[in-house]
């Protein structure tokens, strides 16, 4: 690896383990400003990695995560030594986020990007009533549920999987549309959609049955409608050790029991 590309920007979450790793690695390899670095090393858990990806979205920077969190599904193993060699051998995965445009009950429009999913859920004790339209065709007139989400392949093993949605290979041109605790129609378990689809959610009786929406960690309260599509322009690039690639982890997750 050349001297130019051996320089990294290290960033960490606000935990003791992550901050200690930041001190160790920056002392060993040097520290560049994030704005000047080609490769950003994210130290923390999956949530912090997603935040780093959002912060570097569409900049051309590559993000290499090392686990200093709890689960670390998206992270590489933490080791202080041999970082240049690991980066040189790393496999890159470029992903596209979802674009969410949420319109609130008061008419405010809020836009945000989501790497994992755009999720809607009821704000009160009453079930939500949601109309679902795909590419301008109404597919469900009224879904009574606790919530519903659109997940990317990258996010299919997160909240989507907890709601019994399908796991999608990272290179699959698909999105998962998954309900959360559907009451009517009770047996509907969701759908697989093309990643070119545009999905609109309209909240029925929104004044009586308020619903919130979130694009990953960007939350909008009391929504009237949400439109979701894959971003045609924004991208994020992750680096993985070749023996622990994201595709392999997603495949292995389907055989866990």
């Amino acid at each position: 690896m050349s001297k130019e590309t051996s320089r990294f920007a290290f960033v960490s979450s606000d935990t003791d383990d992550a901050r200690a790793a930041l001190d160790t690695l920056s002392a060993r390899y040097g520290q560049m400003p994030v704005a000047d670095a080609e490769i950003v090393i994210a130290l923390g858990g999956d949530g912090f990695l997603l935040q780093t990806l959002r912060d570097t979205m569409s900049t051309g920077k590559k993000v290499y995560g090392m686990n200093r969190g709890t689960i670390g599904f998206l992270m590489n193993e933490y080791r202080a030594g041999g970082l240049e060699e690991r980066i040189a051998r790393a496999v890159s995965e470029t992903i596209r986020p979802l674009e969410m445009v949420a319109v609130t009950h008061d008419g405010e429009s809020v836009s945000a990007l989501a790497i994992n999913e755009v999720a809607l859920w009821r704000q009160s004790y009453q079930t939500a009533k949601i109309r679902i339209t795909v590419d301008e065709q109404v597919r469900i007139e009224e879904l009574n549920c606790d919530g519903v989400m659109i997940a990317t392949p990258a996010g299919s093993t997160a909240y989507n999987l907890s709601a019994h949605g399908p796991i999608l290979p990272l290179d699959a041109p698909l999105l998962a549309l998954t309900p959360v605790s559907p009451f009517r129609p009770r047996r509907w378990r969701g759908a697989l959609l093309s990643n070119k689809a545009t999905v609109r959610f309209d909240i029925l009786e929104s004044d009586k049955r308020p619903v919130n929406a979130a694009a990953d960690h960007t939350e909008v309260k009391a929504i009237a409608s949400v439109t979701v599509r894959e971003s045609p322009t924004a991208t994020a690039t992750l680096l993985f050790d070749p023996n622990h690639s994201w595709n392999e982890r997603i495949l292995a997750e389907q055989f866990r029991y």
Side-chain angles (χ1 to χ4, degrees):
M1 177 173 288
S2 70
K3 181 179 179 181
E4 179 66 25
T5 57
S6 68
R7 296 181 296 165
F8 310 120
F10 295 96
V11 294
S12 78
S13 64
D14 194 31
T15 66
D16 291 341
D17 285 348
R19 288 195 301 267
L22 174 66
D23 292 341
T24 297
L25 294 172
S26 58
R28 184 165 186 167
Y29 298 100
Q31 174 71 297
M32 288 188 73
V34 172
D36 299 331
E38 178 185 352
I39 296 171
V40 178
I41 312 295
L43 305 164
D46 289 338
F48 182 72
L49 179 66
L50 291 175
Q51 181 60 55
T52 304
L53 288 172
R54 282 190 289 273
D55 292 343
T56 59
M57 190 80 67
S58 299
T59 62
K61 300 180 189 303
K62 299 177 181 179
V63 178
Y64 182 85
M66 285 202 284
N67 189 24
R68 293 284 82 191
T70 304
I71 298 175
F73 183 81
L74 304 177
M75 312 298 279
N76 299 291
E77 179 185 353
Y78 174 75
R79 294 197 306 272
L83 184 57
E84 295 100 332
E85 292 77 12
R86 291 177 74 182
I87 296 295
R89 295 194 303 267
V91 177
S92 66
E93 300 281 2
T94 298
I95 58 177
R96 289 191 180 276
L98 298 174
E99 290 182 346
M100 175 187 80
V101 179
V103 179
T104 70
H105 191 64
D106 295 329
E108 179 186 4
S109 180
V110 180
S111 300
L113 295 175
I115 294 170
N116 271 356
E117 76 278 317
V118 172
L120 288 68
W121 67 96
R122 63 187 175 98
Q123 188 177 324
S124 70
Y125 68 92
Q126 292 184 298
T127 59
K129 291 187 176 182
I130 302 172
R131 178 185 301 121
I132 300 177
T133 303
V134 179
D135 292 333
E136 300 185 346
Q137 182 173 350
V138 175
R139 292 296 181 178
I140 294 185
E141 286 284 357
E142 184 179 300
L143 173 65
N144 289 248
C145 59
D146 281 352
V148 64
M149 77 188 80
I150 292 280
T152 66
S156 66
T157 55
Y159 185 21
N160 172 74
L161 181 58
S162 297
H164 307 291
I167 296 175
L168 304 178
L170 196 61
D171 56 357
L174 297 170
L175 301 173
L177 173 60
T178 302
V180 179
S181 302
F183 181 68
R184 290 285 190 275
R186 191 184 300 272
R187 296 186 182 277
W188 187 63
R189 289 294 178 259
L192 291 176
L193 305 177
S194 165
N195 63 343
K196 305 302 182 185
T198 298
V199 181
R200 178 183 170 101
F201 303 99
D202 288 288
I203 311 308
L204 309 178
E205 303 178 22
S206 61
D207 54 341
K208 179 182 177 183
R209 302 171 183 270
V211 171
N212 295 348
D216 288 349
H217 299 300
T218 302
E219 183 176 351
V220 184
K221 294 183 180 295
I223 58 169
S225 68
V226 170
T227 302
V228 183
R229 66 168 184 166
E230 184 181 82
S231 172
T233 56
T235 59
T237 301
L238 277 163
L239 294 174
F240 292 100
D241 292 334
N243 62 344
H244 200 44
S245 72
W246 201 351
N247 268 325
E248 171 56 31
R249 273 175 272 186
I250 288 176
L251 181 61
E253 191 70 27
Q254 297 180 73
F255 293 91
R256 296 173 72 95
Y257 55 91

